[in-house]
Every structure is written in structure tokens, then in C-alpha cells.
Amino acid sequence: MSALLLLVAGALFFYILLYYSVFKGASCSRSVKLNGKTVIVTGSDTGIGKATALELAKRGARVILACSNKDKAESAAFDIRTESGNNQVVFMQLDLASLKSVRCFAETFLKTEPRLDILINNAGVMGPGRTEDGFGMALGVNHLGHFLLTNLLLEKLQQCGPSRVVTVAALLHCFGTANFPLLASKKDSVSGQSTWNNFRAYCNSKLFNVLFTRELANRLEGTSVTCYSLHPGVIATELCRNMSLWMQLLVTPFAKLFFVDPEGGSQTIVYCALQEGLESLSGRYFSRCALQQVGAMGRDDALARKLWELSERFTGLS
């Protein structure tokens, strides 16, 4: 019996140590008010996107929920307006798996909204399939859709500066690679649609988020727009909704034990969006509301430039 108790105590200690040192996020305690400011949050009908939108709405911002699912987004907008007491929370249609939809969103936004102060590129997917334009789903949604969206809105961000672009990456960027010949020929960062390849494609897309932010900062140097990428923590969200049923069943018990909730996962996003004094750190990567070092490939400026040039060609900006 004593051996069993010792084993249980050891397992509990290990769980607490792992949870608080690796999985649990920090808290952003900033009390910055955003009255008169406008924020776009992509993928904000659920998960950390919705939690982020709620936090910014509570601070008085006009919040645009940029989402593909109209019913879910309008329901989320109602929830956020009710909880925050802020009626300036609205849905605008955006499907990041369609470059046409991204262009339509940007055109509508620029015609109807007088300002943009913060753009939060949050939406992300992990799973099989291809976008409307033939790109691998992770590449198209997680990187290319946000790449095009950001570039189409840059002029407005510059007009309203100081402004920020916050892109949600992930710690998994450390496992990502950039095979440009494969990208150019296959419109994808991996070959095949197996579960393993879907995971690899997701890791690659998160590396692209980091590289995109780095190159964007270089191009915006000397302007009033700064940008940041981040790891939000390991979050219990709908990220894996496109994965196979057996993978979801495998992940769910682990998620219940270790993953943080969407509110906790939104803290580093809010930190990067609001924290004063981050301007000199534009292009850098954050986690747990603090500056962190990225993997070696994420610090490669030549790689970042190559990705930018290829992304311009893919999205029709070049």
C-alpha cells in the first residue's frame, strides 16, 4: 500500500510540475483601454480567438469577428456583446481557405471601417484537404490567407499607427521545415495526406508564421506598425476538428489533463496586442507573456525573404 501511495504521490507531483512549467500560461494584467480603437480577430467564433475578442471588447474596442461560419460567428458576437456590455462587436465573413474571400473581406472592411489599430491573425487548422486555390489546408489557411490579409490591410494600419499585427504561431514551429522546391511544385509543404503528414504540415505553417512576422518587421522598420508572433500555450480548442476520429479520441484525455482553457490561451495574444514598450521587439516571438527565443530556422532572414517572395507569387501580390 505504501508503495502505491508513493507512486500516486510521485505521479501527482510530476503532473503538477509538468502542467505549471510547460502547459499553464501566464496572465496578462494590463488595464489598457481601447475605446475608439478597432481590432480584427480571425477565427474568433470559438476557442482562444473568441476569448481574445471578449477580452478586447471588455476594454472598449470595436471588435470585428473575421470568421467563415456565419451562424457560429453571429452567436459568438452575441455572447461577447452580452458578457462585455460592448455593442461594437460585429461579424464579417472571411474564409481564409479562399484567397477570393480574403480579398472580398479586405475590400469590404476598407470601405466600411474608418480605422484599424490591431490585426490578430489567430485562425488555424490542422488536418487534410486543400483550399479553394489548391494549397494544402495548413499552408493555405494558417499562412497564405493571413499573409494576403495582412498585406491588403497594411496601408490602413499605417494610417492609424501606432498599430500592431499579432500572429498566433506555436511552439511546434521548432519542428517545422521549409522545402521551397516542394512548395513551388506541390502548393504544399509536405507530400501526402496521412495524419503524420498533416501534423508536419501544421508544424511547417507555424514556422512560416514566425518567418512571416520576422520579414514583415524588417519591411516595416521605421513605420508606425509593429508585429509579433507567439505561442499561446497548449490549448483545448477545436484546432484538431479536421483530424480523424481516432486521433481526436487519442488527444482528448490528454487535453483534459494538461491543456489550458481558451481564456488562459488568450493571455499572450492580449499581451502582444497591448503591452507598452514592445516596439523595439518588433518581429520577435513571445510565450507566457514574455520574450522567447525561436528555433534556428525561425531566425533565418534569408529564409524569411524567400518565403515572402514565394507567398507573394502564390497570393498574386507580386
Side-chain angles (χ1 to χ4, degrees), residues 120-155:
I120 298 179
N121 294 321
N122 161 75
V125 298
M126 181 193 298
R130 289 192 171 268
T131 69
E132 179 180 281
D133 306 281
F135 300 103
M137 193 61 70
L139 170 66
V141 172
N142 301 355
H143 170 61
L144 290 175
H146 285 130
F147 175 88
L148 179 60
L149 177 67
T150 303
N151 276 280
L152 294 176
L153 298 177
L154 267 184
E155 186 175 346

Side-chain angles (χ1 to χ4, degrees), residues 20-234:
Y20 282 94
S21 63
V22 177
F23 292 97
K24 182 174 172 57
S27 296
C28 175
S29 59
R30 299 299 302 170
S31 58
V32 176
K33 297 299 182 183
L34 295 173
N35 301 84
K37 305 289 187 182
T38 298
V39 182
I40 293 174
V41 187
T42 68
S44 42
D45 55 357
T46 188
I48 60 174
K50 182 179 179 181
T52 299
L54 173 60
E55 180 65 30
L56 299 175
K58 286 179 177 179
R59 296 167 188 261
R62 176 172 175 79
V63 182
I64 310 298
L65 307 186
C67 310
S68 60
N69 189 311
K70 183 176 185 292
D71 292 338
K72 287 178 65 176
E74 289 185 339
S75 176
F78 176 81
D79 292 342
I80 294 169
R81 287 193 296 266
T82 301
E83 188 169 345
S84 67
N86 180 350
N87 289 323
Q88 293 297 305
V89 180
V90 297
F91 158 68
M92 286 182 64
Q93 184 80 40
L94 171 64
D95 182 1
L96 288 161
S98 164
L99 296 180
K100 179 181 178 181
S101 176
V102 175
R103 292 183 182 279
C104 288
F105 172 89
E107 182 180 359
T108 301
F109 179 87
L110 294 173
K111 284 181 178 178
T112 59
E113 297 292 333
R115 64 181 303 116
L116 176 59
D117 301 275
I118 304 170
L119 170 62
I120 298 179
N121 294 321
N122 161 75
V125 298
M126 181 193 298
R130 289 192 171 268
T131 69
E132 179 180 281
D133 306 281
F135 300 103
M137 193 61 70
L139 170 66
V141 172
N142 301 355
H143 170 61
L144 290 175
H146 285 130
F147 175 88
L148 179 60
L149 177 67
T150 303
N151 276 280
L152 294 176
L153 298 177
L154 267 184
E155 186 175 346
K156 179 66 72 175
L157 285 162
Q158 291 173 326
Q159 291 171 357
C160 301
S163 53
R164 296 185 180 186
V165 178
V166 178
T167 300
V168 179
L171 183 61
L172 290 173
H173 80 271
C174 294
F175 300 104
T177 59
N179 185 334
F180 292 119
L182 179 64
L183 272 173
S185 63
K186 299 291 186 182
K187 285 189 169 183
D188 204 347
S189 59
V190 296
S191 293
Q193 294 282 300
S194 68
T195 298
W196 171 242
N197 283 330
N198 291 332
F199 174 75
R200 288 173 55 213
Y202 178 79
C203 294
N204 294 348
S205 73
K206 296 294 103 177
L207 171 63
F208 297 163
N209 291 156
V210 171
L211 291 171
F212 160 65
T213 300
R214 191 174 184 90
E215 178 63 13
L216 180 62
N218 290 336
R219 291 171 180 255
L220 291 174
E221 188 173 1
T223 73
S224 59
V225 184
T226 54
C227 53
Y228 314 91
S229 64
L230 64 100
H231 170 57
V234 186

